[in-house]
Amino acid sequence: MNAPDRPPRPIRPIQALPDQLISQIAAGEVIERPSAVVKELLENALDAGATQITVRLEQGGVKRIAITDNGRGIPPEQMPLALARHATSKIASLTDLENVGTLGFRGEALASIASVAQLTLTTRTADAAHAWEIIGSQEGSVVPASGAPGTTIDVQDLYFNTPARRKFLKSEQTEYGHCAEVVRRIALARPDVTFSLTHNGKTVDHWNTGEFAKRSAHILGDEFANARLPLDESAGPLRLHGFVGLPTASKARADGQYFYVNGRFVRDKLLVHAVRAAYQDVLHGDRYPSYALSLDLDPALVDVNVHPSKIEVRFRDSRSVHQFVFHAVSRALAATSATSFGNAPAPQAAGNGPLPWMRDQQSQPQPQYQNEFGAQLRPNFSAGNFGVAQNTAEYGAMFRPGEQTNLDMASTFGSEAAPGAFTIPTSPNTQTLPTDDFPLGFALAQLHGIYVLAQNSKGLVVVDMHAAHERILYEQLKNALDDNSMFVQPLLIPVTFYADAVEVGTVEEHQETLSALGFDIAAMSPTTLAVRAVPALLKNADAQTLARDVLRDVREFGGSRVLLERRNELLGTLACHTAVRANRSLTVPEMNALLRQMEATERADQCNHGRPTWSQLALSDMDKLFLRGQ
């Protein structure tokens, strides 16, 4: 393919670029749209110690951006220098650059803005008799002006002298949306500062100073405020705090994710991956979690000078940061509503001993993260609200004499009920039960062989028994695999089935992986496989179906990947096959056993696919439904 004919490029000598052109080139990196101007000016205002900031926009910020703060202000003799390129009061040496503690530090924002817009800087220090003003670039004159202590920067007609750049801007509403999002991001990080945002003369948002919980509820909305979990953990020089949304607060888009590093909003792939990994088995694959998290660490451990817009960072010890964030968010999600029962006694699984995580966490080795300096980072978390396991006999007395409370759900679920049945088994006297100690209360009935109805101190609890049992089995399988305690149930009569050559070869090649998962599968002939043992937790499932599922994943992804990367997906599939099915009639002890195991299981609020396992209907809601008191 021949290159198109082009006119020859004129030969010019190498020469230094004019300062104005240099500033305009720099502006192309720093000031890509009006929202970038808003970001740079807000960061400067916060660095100046402002506690009140007003943002005024016109025509989406293209016509005008005016930001007023009550910060320290700039002395008049320094005002021209403030508009010069690479002039700043925030760094003076390489050491300062490697320990940046401010939001803005490059010293090129104001110069870049002034090169592509009409800029007016009005400022007054606390001890000055009046304000001072400078228009345009550093060559402008500093003249007296009126104004309160603080700084106002008025930017008008963005890209008036670079029309080609202006053509790339979007509609007024789109540009305003980007500006408003920048204000929200920064306002969320600084609840100690009052922010006000107006557009075309109309006040759109106003946030007074207050707690982070209130500010995050205001910005992220009621849906997030009503479905969030607090998080505050430290490990060595790292501290992660804020809120993570429950899976029920997830979104179809990733527009509810706010992550800050030392107060700076960032889009960091490492941090996003760590949080996403923590949500991996409580969230549907095409949904995005919502969260507002802040990571604090020594500025020397993070490089914020890797991108002109300062929205990307680089950690000196990225692996430690990733592991710390992942485990902190995982623990926050593990302590969900169904497991928050104060110091109430937790049940012990009959015949299987306490669930692995129910062992006294104080005596268990806590996760250790090794950073590049050799120091061990130990999270400062405690056993939290989870009680120590006790024998079922201690709460078995709550039921009428003669009833057995068996937590081995897979072996005690009864026969199938008729479709559409409403089962009301003989119930204990729930008026005397200490329901305040158990968030899911005690069983009353079974609806359509699908839902368990229970009474707690708040009202009515409705449980999807299959989803709940699936989560319980899934967590037990994970714990057993992690602890190398996957107990095996030998089959009295091996289950044989036809297999193709690939399946037989998979069995022969991956015996070690299959054994680690609790399976004993052997080739009886070139076309026959025999399942001789399965994981004890799955003993009541169809052995052939389990074997085929395991062999399919091992064949597709390889033994090592199944155990490392695909482990949770495989265990979730196995748990789904084994969990109690619909139209099973359960007795009261069996339903209560399910409730107690839910309370003793991490992440019990959602099944493995991210759907809720139970829902609460408060008495007040029922009173409104039946117009009681009206």
Side-chain angles (χ1 to χ4, degrees):
M1 183 175 180
N2 296 327
D5 293 333
R6 294 191 181 96
R9 189 184 63 167
I11 299 176
R12 295 173 180 164
I14 298 174
Q15 56 186 346
L17 295 175
D19 288 341
Q20 177 69 8
L21 183 57
I22 292 174
S23 296
Q24 290 175 340
I25 293 173
E29 296 180 347
V30 179
I31 312 301
E32 35 184 359
R33 63 193 328 157
S35 59
V37 176
V38 174
K39 174 181 179 294
E40 296 290 345
L41 299 185
L42 284 178
E43 289 180 347
N44 283 342
L46 292 173
D47 285 341
T51 58
Q52 294 181 353
I53 300 176
T54 300
V55 181
R56 298 189 298 276
L57 305 174
E58 292 182 14
Q59 296 182 16
V62 178
K63 179 65 177 177
R64 186 185 186 200
I65 299 171
I67 296 184
T68 301
D69 67 66
N70 66 342
R72 289 186 292 270
I74 304 172
E77 65 275 9
Q78 295 183 17
M79 291 173 65
L81 193 58
L83 298 176
R85 295 188 66 242
H86 303 306
T88 179
S89 62
K90 301 167 188 176
I91 58 172
S93 65
L94 179 60
T95 301
D96 292 338
L97 184 61
E98 293 176 345
N99 294 270
V100 173
T102 56
L103 297 174
F105 58 89
R106 289 171 173 266
E108 57 183 291
L110 292 181
S112 297
I113 296 169
S115 69
V116 293
Q118 304 287 354
L119 184 147
T120 301
L121 169 61
T122 305
T123 184
R124 175 183 173 184
T125 57
D127 57 352
H130 57 79
W132 296 85
E133 183 177 276
I134 184 173
I135 299 176
S137 63
Q138 66 182 108
E139 286 80 19
S141 300
V142 178
V143 298
S146 61
T151 300
T152 295
I153 298 181
D154 196 337
V155 179
Q156 300 191 34
D157 295 325
L158 188 62
Y159 298 131
F160 77 97
N161 55 356
T162 54
R165 292 294 306 276
R166 192 159 185 164
K167 290 179 181 178
F168 283 95
L169 297 179
K170 305 300 182 182
S171 67
E172 174 182 328
Q173 192 60 31
T174 298
E175 295 300 338
Y176 165 72
H178 286 289
C179 292
E181 178 61 19
V182 166
V183 177
R184 283 193 293 268
R185 290 171 184 169
I186 294 179
L188 182 58
R190 293 297 301 271
D192 58 323
V193 177
T194 297
F195 289 86
S196 183
L197 171 63
T198 67
H199 185 223
N200 293 336
K202 179 182 178 181
T203 299
V204 180
D205 274 312
H206 181 83
W207 301 287
N208 289 319
T209 57
E211 298 294 327
F212 179 70
K214 185 176 181 180
R215 178 68 61 86
S216 62
H218 192 163
I219 293 178
L220 274 72
D222 292 338
E223 184 179 3
F224 178 80
N226 296 329
R228 64 185 180 184
L229 297 167
L231 188 158
D232 193 342
E233 285 203 17
S234 299
L238 306 177
R239 181 194 175 205
L240 184 68
H241 56 99
F243 293 97
V244 291
L246 291 171
T248 52
S250 63
K251 293 187 170 186
R253 298 187 303 166
D255 58 355
Q257 301 179 349
Y258 295 84
F259 212 117
Y260 302 87
V261 175
N262 289 345
R264 182 191 309 278
F265 176 82
V266 298
R267 286 198 193 98
D268 185 83
K269 293 180 180 179
L270 178 138
L271 298 175
V272 170
H273 182 273
V275 176
R276 181 74 186 184
Y279 275 90
Q280 66 179 348
D281 58 358
V282 294
L283 200 64
H284 195 276
D286 60 355
R287 302 288 292 180
Y288 294 90
S290 297
Y291 50 84
L293 294 171
S294 182
L295 178 66
D296 299 336
L297 71 165
D298 187 338
L301 302 180
V302 57
D303 183 3
V304 299
N305 192 31
V306 297
H307 192 275
S309 66
K310 303 187 294 293
I311 204 167
E312 298 177 9
V313 295
R314 182 181 295 117
F315 297 101
R316 290 182 61 182
D317 189 3
S318 58
R319 178 176 175 82
S320 292
V321 171
H322 181 281
Q323 290 298 299
F324 169 68
V325 172
F326 166 72
H327 287 290
V329 176
S330 294
R331 281 190 290 271
L333 293 174
T336 50
S337 302
T339 57
S340 302
F341 50 95
N343 294 318
Q348 176 174 319
N352 294 324
L355 298 178
W357 71 271
M358 293 298 296
R359 301 166 188 149
D360 186 1
Q361 295 185 40
Q362 299 287 1
S363 63
Q364 291 293 315
Q366 296 180 352
Q368 305 272 337
Y369 314 116
Q370 192 79 18
N371 66 13
E372 65 172 355
F373 310 106
Q376 296 227 330
L377 313 181
R378 174 185 291 272
N380 62 350
F381 68 96
S382 64
N385 292 327
F386 300 111
V388 179
Q390 67 171 22
N391 195 280
T392 57
E394 296 185 30
Y395 71 80
M398 298 176 183
F399 305 103
R400 71 177 188 269
E403 288 188 331
Q404 292 294 321
T405 302
N406 192 339
L407 294 184
D408 188 358
M409 304 296 295
S411 62
T412 60
F413 281 161
S415 60
E416 296 184 0
F422 182 86
T423 306
I424 306 181
T426 305
S427 175
N429 182 5
T430 55
Q431 298 298 322
T432 63
L433 296 177
T435 55
D436 287 338
D437 293 335
F438 299 94
L440 297 183
F442 293 87
L444 297 173
Q446 187 180 13
L447 179 64
H448 287 286
I450 299 174
Y451 300 104
V452 171
L453 307 182
Q455 171 184 302
N456 67 356
S457 59
K458 296 179 181 179
L460 179 68
V461 173
V462 183
V463 177
D464 182 332
M465 66 183 193
H466 171 76
H469 192 214
E470 184 179 358
R471 167 59 70 178
I472 291 168
L473 287 173
Y474 175 49
E475 293 296 330
Q476 289 178 337
L477 287 170
K478 287 199 301 182
N479 289 328
L481 194 58
D482 289 340
D483 294 347
N484 294 320
S485 58
M486 186 71 77
F487 295 108
V488 173
Q489 175 66 52
L491 302 181
L492 183 62
I493 301 176
V495 175
T496 60
F497 60 93
Y498 172 82
D500 58 31
V502 175
E503 288 177 320
V504 173
T506 302
V507 168
E508 294 175 346
E509 184 179 350
H510 297 284
Q511 275 295 326
E512 186 175 344
T513 299
L514 295 173
S515 297
L517 292 169
F519 288 89
D520 181 1
I521 306 175
M524 305 301 292
S525 75
T527 59
T528 305
L529 290 176
V531 183
R532 299 186 295 198
V534 296
L537 292 168
L538 309 179
K539 61 185 178 182
N540 292 293
D542 182 85
Q544 178 179 336
T545 301
L546 292 179
R548 288 194 182 278
D549 284 338
V550 169
L551 293 178
R552 183 188 63 247
D553 275 18
V554 171
R555 180 177 69 248
E556 183 175 354
F557 301 104
S560 58
R561 280 196 63 193
V562 162
L563 292 179
L564 293 176
E565 302 174 25
R566 301 283 304 179
R567 183 196 73 157
N568 289 351
E569 290 87 342
L570 174 59
L571 296 183
T573 299
L574 299 180
C576 185
H577 281 313
T578 311
V580 61
R581 298 296 180 182
N583 298 326
R584 284 292 188 91
S585 179
L586 306 184
T587 66
V588 167
E590 289 169 347
M591 288 187 281
N592 279 304
L594 177 65
L595 299 177
R596 300 293 78 80
Q597 277 205 329
M598 289 176 66
E599 292 167 345
T601 300
E602 295 180 348
R603 304 172 184 85
D605 288 353
Q606 291 81 31
C607 74
N608 315 340
H609 312 293
R611 292 188 292 270
T613 58
W614 66 282
S615 182
Q616 175 81 59
L617 182 60
L619 281 176
S620 59
D621 295 331
M622 299 177 71
D623 290 341
K624 292 177 183 177
L625 184 64
F626 293 99
L627 304 180
R628 289 180 61 85
Q630 299 185 21

